[in-house]
Amino acid sequence: MPIYEYQCKACGHRLEKLQKISADPLTDCPSCEAPELNRLVSAAGFRLAGGGWYETDFKTGGSKKNLAGDSSSSNSSPNSSSSGGDAAA
């Protein structure tokens, strides 16, 4: 369930509420009791960072294989072998 942020137009009171997506938005301010609550648009509560997802992130045992790094490592392997082939020729 997402957490929604609300702000009252009448008194400026702000609050967060854990609600189902299908639930109706709140309208009455718990502070001044005026029907002036508006749902705010806020940023997501998580951020993706790092080198990529691993195929074993949610599995037990085994070594982790970087799925994001596979394409870059496969691209660098042919370049290094082809440069070695150029030096021999």
Side-chain angles (χ1 to χ4, degrees):
M1 284 194 300
I3 298 173
Y4 292 104
E5 270 187 285
Y6 290 90
Q7 183 171 8
C8 180
K9 282 185 181 179
C11 69
H13 179 73
R14 292 183 82 156
L15 67 126
E16 293 179 343
K17 183 71 176 174
L18 182 69
Q19 291 180 295
K20 290 183 178 182
I21 292 175
S22 60
D24 292 331
L26 301 177
T27 55
D28 296 335
C29 176
S31 181
C32 69
E33 299 181 2
E36 298 289 328
L37 272 184
N38 284 342
R39 188 182 288 175
L40 302 175
V41 176
S42 57
F46 69 96
R47 184 181 77 186
L48 300 176
W53 294 97
Y54 291 85
E55 71 178 69
T56 58
D57 272 351
F58 302 104
K59 298 177 185 176
T60 58
S63 64
K64 291 187 176 186
K65 179 179 175 186
N66 187 338
L67 297 178
D70 283 349
S71 60
S72 63
S73 64
S74 65
N75 290 340
S76 63
S77 295
N79 292 339
S80 61
S81 64
S82 65
S83 64
D86 292 340

